[in-house]
């Protein structure tokens, strides 16, 4: 029948057609999205598999068809967030579009952004994800700043601090209710410029 129901052969009446099974890739994406929301609320240790099951509206059986353990699922969540972030912002260089791209990526997945930079950064077992991104960001920043900051020590300082300022500023922007993107990008840019200007200051002679 056109509405998806069918009549049994004995004429006993209409019966519902079997529910259509979700494709494996779609189910995995559903589980990862639900796990991201659940983990973003309380972090890895305080989030149980039952929390994820409840968030996804599935059974544990379905969950275990895709992930061997909570740690396995958490790693998959972080890999998904990192992949999306690198796709949105790029991983090769910085330009005038980097901060707006970072804001758009955070707006598109605020739970994932917070999870990666607020929780995973403080979890020794999973810190590798933020360390990898942070190391790459520091290296790129140093390429940009090394020639314009005369003192190599202050250039290294600014190269480490600029990515941290950018990430913390975006998280604060999310927490503040995501005020205007253009204004946010401008303000974050000014904060970063403040770090760079501070690094360029001449040292005051010690007394």
């Amino acid at each position: 029948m056109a509405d998806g129901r069918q009549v049994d052969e004995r004429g006993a009446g209409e019966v519902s057609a079997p529910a259509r099974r979700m494709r494996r890739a779609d189910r995995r994406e559903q589980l990862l999205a639900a796990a991201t929301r659940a983990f973003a609320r309380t972090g890895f240790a305080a989030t149980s598999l039952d929390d994820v099951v409840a968030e996804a509206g599935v059974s544990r059986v379905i969950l275990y068809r895709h992930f061997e353990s909570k740690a396995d699922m958490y790693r998959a969540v972080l890999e998904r967030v990192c992949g999306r972030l690198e796709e949105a912002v790029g991983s090769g260089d910085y330009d005038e579009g980097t901060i707006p791209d970072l804001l758009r990526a955070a707006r598109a997945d605020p739970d994932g952004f917070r999870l990666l930079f607020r929780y995973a950064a403080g979890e020794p077992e999973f810190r590798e994800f933020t360390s990898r991104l942070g190391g790459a960001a520091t290296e790129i920043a140093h390429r940009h700043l090394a020639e314009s900051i005369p003192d190599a020590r202050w250039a290294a300082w600014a190269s480490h601090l600029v990515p941290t300022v950018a990430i913390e500023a975006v998280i604060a922007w999310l927490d503040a209710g995501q005020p205007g993107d253009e204004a946010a990008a401008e303000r974050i840019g000014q904060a970063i410029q403040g770090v760079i200007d501070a690094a360029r200051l001449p040292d005051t002679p010690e007394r």
Side-chain angles (χ1 to χ4, degrees), residues 25-111:
D26 293 339
R27 175 67 78 186
R28 181 180 174 84
E29 177 62 24
Q30 178 206 17
L31 293 173
L32 288 174
T36 300
R37 294 191 297 271
F39 284 125
R41 286 195 289 270
T42 52
F44 175 74
T47 303
S48 68
L49 285 177
D50 286 337
D51 294 328
V52 178
V53 164
E55 184 69 34
V58 298
S59 67
R60 273 195 175 225
V61 172
I62 290 177
L63 196 70
Y64 280 121
R65 286 175 185 166
H66 296 266
F67 305 103
E68 295 180 359
S69 64
K70 186 172 78 165
D72 178 47
M73 180 171 54
Y74 195 56
R75 284 187 176 277
V77 165
L78 294 175
E79 287 170 358
R80 174 176 177 265
V81 175
C82 287
R84 288 183 164 191
L85 188 61
E86 290 177 351
E87 182 179 344
V89 179
S91 57
D93 209 347
Y94 293 151
D95 55 33
E96 64 278 0
T98 298
I99 296 300
D101 287 344
L102 191 63
L103 287 166
R104 280 191 289 271
R107 182 190 289 280
D109 187 12
D111 288 332

Side-chain angles (χ1 to χ4, degrees), residues 183-199:
E186 181 180 356
R187 284 162 172 75
I188 293 172
Q190 289 173 349
I192 290 172
Q193 189 60 49
V195 171
I196 296 170
D197 291 342

Side-chain angles (χ1 to χ4, degrees), residues 119-164:
Y119 284 113
E123 295 163 341
E125 187 178 353
F126 305 103
R127 196 177 295 156
E128 66 191 78
F129 290 92
T130 47
S131 296
R132 185 185 73 206
L133 292 177
T138 298
E139 182 181 340
I140 294 170
H142 193 266
R143 289 205 306 264
H144 282 263
L145 299 176
E147 292 184 3
S148 62
I149 299 176
D151 191 318
R153 298 167 302 171
W154 288 115
W157 173 80
S159 299
H160 280 86
L161 188 53
V162 162
T164 301

